[in-house]
Amino acid sequence: MITLNHYLIASGLLFAIGLVGVVSRRNTLMILLSVELMLNAANLSFVAFSRYLGHSTGQIFVFFIMLVAAAEVTVGLAILIVMARAVGKTDADALKSLRW
Amino acid sequence: MQLPSLAFLAWTILFAPLVSTLGILLVGLRRPKFSHSIAIASMVTGFLASVYLFIRLLGSPGSVGSQGHGEHPFLEHAISWISLHGLQLEVGVAIDPLSVLMSLVVTGVGSVIFIYSAGYMSEEPSYSRYFAGLSLFAFSMLGIVLANNLVMLFMFWELVGVSSYLLIGFWYQKPSAAEAGRKAFMVNRVADFGFMIGILMLWTVSGATGQERTFNFAELADRIHELAAAQALPYAALSFAGAFLFCGVVGKSAQFPLHVWLPDAMEGPTPVSALIHAATMVAAGVYLIGRCFFLYADLPDLLTLIAYVGGFTAIFTASIAIVQNDIKRILAYSTLSQLGYMVMALGLGGYSAGIFHLATHAFFKALLFLGAGCMIHALHTNDIWEMGGLIKSMKVTSWTFLIGTAALCGIWPLSGFWSKDEILALAFHQDKFLWAIGSLTAMMTAFYMGRLCFAAIFGKPRGHGHSQEAPAVMTGPLVFLAILSVIGGFLGIPRFIHHPRAMHVEFDLGVALISTLCAVIGLGSAWRLYGKPSDLPVRLRASFRWLYSLLANKYYVDEIYAWLIRNVHDRIARLCALFERYVIMRFCVNGIAVTTRAAGSVLRMIQTGKVQTYALALFAGLLLILSWMMVGIHP
C-alpha cells in the first residue's frame, strides 16, 4: 500500500537531488534542469496532498506551475544561448562582471 | 455698546499702515505722489480712529475714574492663531487707556512726521522706499501698542527692530549708515534674547494656578493676583522673569549698558530719528514696563533696580550730551537721558508719571528733531558751531525750536515742566538720592540745550551758505508740535492713565521750584559760557582736559565693548571653531563616512559572484527560518 508518506519522501528526495544539483553544478544548463527537478518535486507533493485531502486545488496549482515552468525554461534557454554567443561558454561563473 | 465696530476700528488702526506698505511696494515704487498720499492717509485714518476710541473710552462708565481694577482692558478682540494641546496663541487687540494713549501718540506724531517727510525727503531718489519703511514701522509699532498678549507683542517688537534697521541704513551707500543699522539690530538682538526668556518664564509661571498657561496680559494679571492673594507667589521665578523682560526694555529703550546703538542710529534721515529714535520706538520699552506693571508691582526690589538703571542712564548720558557738537547727537543723548527719566519714574512706581513723560517727551523731542532737520536741510551741516544766527533767517524753525527746548528743560507752564515735575516729586518722596540725580540731570539738560540754542540759533551767522526758511510742509508740523508741547501738560494725561497699584503724589511746590531753579541755573551758565563770545569754554576745556576727553569719548563704552569683543568674544568663538572643526567635522561627520566605507569594504567580500554560493546561502536561510518555525510546533 502506497501511502501519503511514500509520496512525500519521494518528493523530498527529488527536491534534495535538485538542490544538490543547483549548488554543485557549474554549467548553467544543468542548474536550470536542477531547478526544474525541484519544481517537479513540489508538484509531486501538491498532487499527493490533493489526492489525500480529496481536493482539486492542488491539481490546479500543479497546472499553473507547469505553465510557469514552461515559460521559465523558454526564457532561461534563450538567456543561455545569448550567453553562449557573448561569452563563449555556459558556466555560471562566467557572468561576474558586476562583482566588486 | 457696539463692541464689534470698536474692535473693527482697532484693527483698522493696526492694518492701515500695512495696507500702505504693501500698496507702495506693489504699485507705488515709481510713483512718489501716490506713496506719500497713501502713507499719510493711512496714518491720519489711524489717528482719527484713535481719537474716536479715546472719546468712547472717556465716555464709558467704569473704564476711567472709579473702577476697581484697572488691569482689564476696556475692549479685547482676539482671533485664535495656533491652538495646540497646552499652548494657545492668539492675535488680538486690547483697548485700554494705556494703549489708546500710545496709539494716539504714535499716529498723531506719526502723521505730523509723515507730512514733514514729504518736504524733507522731496529730493530723495528712493522716496517711495522711504515711505514704505515708515509705514512698515508704523504698523509694527501699533502692533506693539495694541497687542493683547506677549507673543504678539514680541513679534511686533522684532518687526520694529527690522524697520528701524531698514530706516537707519536707508542711505546704505554710506558705510557708516549701514554699520549703524547693523549695530542697532545686533544690540537689540542681544536684549531681545533676554526678553524672550522672560516671556517663556512668565508663561511657565502662569501655569502655577493649575489653569492652562497663557500669554494674555489680562489673564496673566489675574493669575498673579490670585497667586498673591493665596500667598503662593513664586517670587524667585517671577523676579527672574521680570528681570529678563527688563532686558528687552534695556535694549529697545536704550538704557545703560545697551545705550550705545541710539546715538549711532542718528545716521538715518532726520524724520526717522524724530519718529523712531525719539518719539515712539524707543518709548516701546517704557510702554512694556507699563504694560507689565501688574508683574512689577509685586516685585519691589526689581522696581528699585529698574529705577536705579533709569536714573544712572539719565545722568550718564546727559553728561555726554554736554560736549557733543553734532546737533542730532546732542538730541540723541538727550533722548537717552529722558528715557532714563521715564524708566526711573516707572521704577519708582510712578505709572502715570512715566507714561505722562513719555507722551510729552514724544511731542517736544519730535519737535526738536524736526527743527534740527530744518536747520540741517537749510545749512547742509550737522555741526552746531557752523550754524548760528538762525533766529533772523529761519523764524518759525527757531521759535518752535526754542519752545521745544523750554519744554525739555521744564520751564513753567510748558508740558515738560508738568511731566518732569511729577517724576521729581515722586522721587523726592521715595528716594532722595534719585531725586538729587534727577535734579542734577535737569540742570545738565538745561545746560546742553542752552549751549545748543546759543550756538545754533542766536549769535552771528557762521560757516557758509545762506539759510532760508523751510517750506510750509515742513514748518506746519513744527507749529503743530509746538502747540502740543505747550498745552501737553494740561490735557489731563495723568488722570487718564492710571493703575491701581501705582504710586501717586500731589504737585509739590518746593520740588517744582527747585527743579525750575536747576533749569535756570543750567540755562544761565550756558548763557555765561556761550551766550556771548568769550574764551571761557576754551579755558575750562584746557583745565579739565581729562574730563573733557572722557565725555567726548562717551566714557569709552564703545571702546570697552570693542575690546571685550576682540578679547573675550573672539577667543570663545575661536574655541568654538576648533570644536566645530575637530569634534564635529572630523570626528562626527567624517567619522561616519570613514566607518561606513570601512564596513562596506569588509562586507562586499560576501559578494563572490558565484551563483552556487548565493543559492546555498538562500537555502541555508530558508532552512534556518523553517527550523525556527518548527520549534514552536509540538508533534
Side-chain angles (χ1 to χ4, degrees), chain B residues 302-597:
Chain B
L302 193 59
L303 272 184
T304 311
L305 174 74
I306 291 174
Y308 273 88
V309 169
F312 181 71
T313 307
I315 193 160
F316 181 76
T317 51
S319 64
I320 300 175
I322 288 176
V323 298
Q324 297 297 312
N325 294 322
D326 181 323
I327 186 167
K328 285 183 74 180
R329 284 194 174 249
I330 296 176
L331 293 177
Y333 280 108
S334 160
T335 304
L336 283 172
S337 159
Q338 298 303 311
L339 286 169
Y341 250 87
M342 297 171 208
V343 171
M344 181 175 91
L346 281 160
L348 290 169
Y351 178 81
S352 52
I355 304 293
F356 182 27
H357 196 58
L358 190 165
T360 58
H361 174 258
F363 301 149
F364 57 67
K365 192 49 72 63
L367 168 62
L368 288 172
F369 264 108
L370 295 187
C374 284
M375 298 175 193
I376 295 168
H377 198 64
L379 298 168
H380 301 290
T381 176
N382 277 14
D383 193 333
I384 55 169
W385 303 111
E386 292 180 15
M387 301 177 176
L390 295 180
I391 194 139
K392 292 199 191 75
S393 52
M394 302 176 73
K395 282 213 169 55
V396 182
T397 306
S398 302
W399 280 108
T400 50
F401 196 87
L402 288 177
I403 291 172
T405 303
L408 172 57
C409 297
I411 303 293
W412 186 85
L414 301 177
S415 58
F417 171 78
W418 301 104
S419 57
K420 195 179 274 190
D421 212 70
E422 196 156 328
I423 297 174
L424 287 176
L426 194 72
F428 184 75
H429 287 287
Q430 287 195 40
D431 195 327
K432 293 277 193 298
F433 179 64
L434 281 179
W435 171 74
I437 286 183
S439 302
L440 200 59
T441 307
M443 197 189 295
M444 287 182 181
T445 306
F447 179 76
Y448 64 69
M449 286 314 291
R451 171 175 174 266
L452 169 57
C453 288
F454 288 123
I457 292 182
F458 299 110
K460 269 184 272 184
R462 274 172 291 233
H464 41 77
H466 60 288
S467 51
Q468 68 181 56
E469 187 58 279
V473 68
M474 287 163 74
T475 50
L478 292 181
V479 173
F480 180 77
L481 284 172
I483 293 169
L484 276 181
S485 304
V486 173
I487 62 168
F490 303 106
L491 296 177
I493 294 171
R495 267 187 297 115
F496 179 61
I497 289 285
H498 61 95
H499 194 279
R501 313 278 301 274
M503 296 289 173
H504 263 294
V505 285
E506 291 307 310
F507 177 74
D508 193 319
L509 190 65
V511 175
L513 281 177
I514 293 174
S515 73
T516 310
L517 192 66
C518 285
V520 170
I521 291 173
L523 286 173
S525 43
W527 181 78
R528 173 73 191 80
L529 284 173
Y530 303 102
K532 55 195 176 201
S534 80
D535 61 344
L536 204 54
V538 180
R539 273 194 285 135
L540 273 179
R541 193 183 301 175
S543 48
F544 293 101
R545 178 161 291 284
W546 62 273
L547 185 63
Y548 178 79
S549 64
L550 183 68
L551 292 179
N553 287 298
K554 307 151 215 161
Y555 294 97
Y556 298 100
V557 174
D558 276 325
E559 282 75 8
I560 292 170
Y561 284 170
W563 186 86
L564 279 178
I565 287 172
R566 227 179 8 256
N567 288 299
V568 180
H569 171 269
D570 282 3
R571 284 193 187 160
I572 294 172
R574 239 170 276 146
L575 211 67
C576 292
L578 285 184
F579 181 81
E580 195 262 345
R581 197 166 303 142
Y582 289 101
V583 177
I584 295 182
M585 290 307 293
R586 285 272 165 85
F587 184 75
C588 294
V589 178
N590 289 350
I592 288 171
V594 166
T595 314
T596 312
R597 201 178 301 154

Side-chain angles (χ1 to χ4, degrees), chain A residues 15 19 22-26 31 38 92-93 95-96 99-100, chain B residues 604-616 619 622:
Chain A
F15 190 87
L19 180 59
V22 168
V23 172
S24 64
R25 285 305 179 134
R26 176 177 272 185
I31 295 175
M38 285 159 75
D93 318 4
L95 292 180
K96 57 178 183 183
R99 202 186 64 156
W100 46 273
Chain B
R604 72 181 169 202
M605 298 301 175
I606 295 171
Q607 303 291 331
T608 56
K610 283 192 183 129
V611 185
Q612 284 85 357
T613 325
Y614 301 155
L616 197 61
F619 284 111
L622 188 68

Side-chain angles (χ1 to χ4, degrees), chain A residues 2-95:
Chain A
I2 300 173
T3 62
L4 177 65
N5 281 345
H6 291 92
Y7 285 110
L8 289 184
I9 289 165
S11 159
L13 282 174
L14 212 54
F15 190 87
I17 292 167
L19 180 59
V20 171
V22 168
V23 172
S24 64
R25 285 305 179 134
R26 176 177 272 185
N27 195 327
T28 315
L29 188 63
M30 298 314 282
I31 295 175
L32 211 57
L33 284 179
S34 306
V35 169
E36 290 304 314
L37 217 53
M38 285 159 75
L39 276 175
N40 281 315
N43 279 354
L44 185 59
S45 57
F46 265 123
V47 174
F49 273 115
S50 163
R51 177 78 180 199
Y52 177 72
L53 295 170
H55 247 282
S56 55
T57 324
Q59 309 218 11
I60 294 167
F61 230 112
V62 169
F63 274 116
F64 275 104
I65 293 175
M66 278 156 77
L67 206 72
V68 171
E72 178 222 303
V73 167
T74 316
V75 176
L77 286 177
I79 292 174
L80 208 69
I81 290 165
V82 172
M83 184 181 163
R85 279 193 194 151
V87 194
K89 51 185 177 180
T90 52
D91 287 357
D93 318 4
L95 292 180

